[in-house]
Amino acid sequence: MYSTVGDLWLFDRALRAGKLLKQATMDTAYVARNPWIKGHFNYGYGWRIFEAPGQKVVYHTGWWHGFRHIYLRDMKHDVVIVLLTNLSNGSLLKLDDLFNITGMPVVRKSAYTGNGDTNED
């Protein structure tokens, strides 16, 4: 699927307003369905989940034929980050400054515990 930052912003607004799915459906999608990874990371129905005391971010990363993306939604605050790149070797895992500016937790598995393996991102 190819998209634009603007279209993904509209998608986010429609999700938040309940125009695409009922809130109960979205709440179910944001529930952790796997064993916790490094105490903060999990997977719901179609969304990766980061949780810490007072914080919850749902997100998804991906790549396809030379493109990489990350789409993050801070569930506590009305913050969404959408980054798209056409650099096939460009890393979206080095976004600590952006996370800090927005007050969002660093959603990168090596930022917390473990050996820094990001194979599951």
Side-chain angles (χ1 to χ4, degrees):
M1 177 176 148
Y2 295 93
S3 190
T4 67
V5 171
D7 285 344
L8 289 170
W9 167 256
L10 293 174
F11 175 72
D12 181 76
R13 297 294 91 188
L15 283 177
R16 288 196 189 264
K19 293 180 180 178
L20 297 177
L21 298 169
K22 296 177 188 174
Q23 187 60 48
T25 302
M26 296 303 298
D27 291 344
T28 300
Y30 301 147
V31 173
R33 305 292 174 175
N34 299 57
W36 288 96
I37 300 170
K38 298 183 183 178
H40 297 282
F41 299 91
N42 209 306
Y43 200 80
Y45 292 145
W47 294 95
R48 295 188 184 281
I49 301 167
F50 171 93
E51 288 188 87
Q55 297 176 313
K56 185 169 190 174
V57 174
V58 297
Y59 67 102
H60 213 289
T61 61
W63 61 271
W64 184 251
H65 296 285
F67 297 94
R68 291 187 61 97
H69 81 277
I70 189 165
Y71 174 82
L72 303 105
R73 301 179 76 219
D74 184 324
M75 302 308 289
K76 184 176 179 182
H77 303 99
D78 190 14
V79 174
V80 62
I81 296 175
V82 178
L83 294 171
L84 307 173
T85 181
N86 63 354
L87 299 174
S88 60
N89 63 348
S91 176
L92 297 176
L93 301 175
K94 298 177 182 177
L95 300 172
D96 297 11
D97 290 340
L98 181 58
F99 293 136
N100 291 329
I101 290 167
T102 63
M104 191 178 282
V106 177
V107 179
R108 179 176 44 80
K109 293 179 187 173
S110 61
Y112 299 94
T113 60
N115 63 6
D117 181 14
T118 58
N119 289 332
E120 298 179 40
D121 282 335

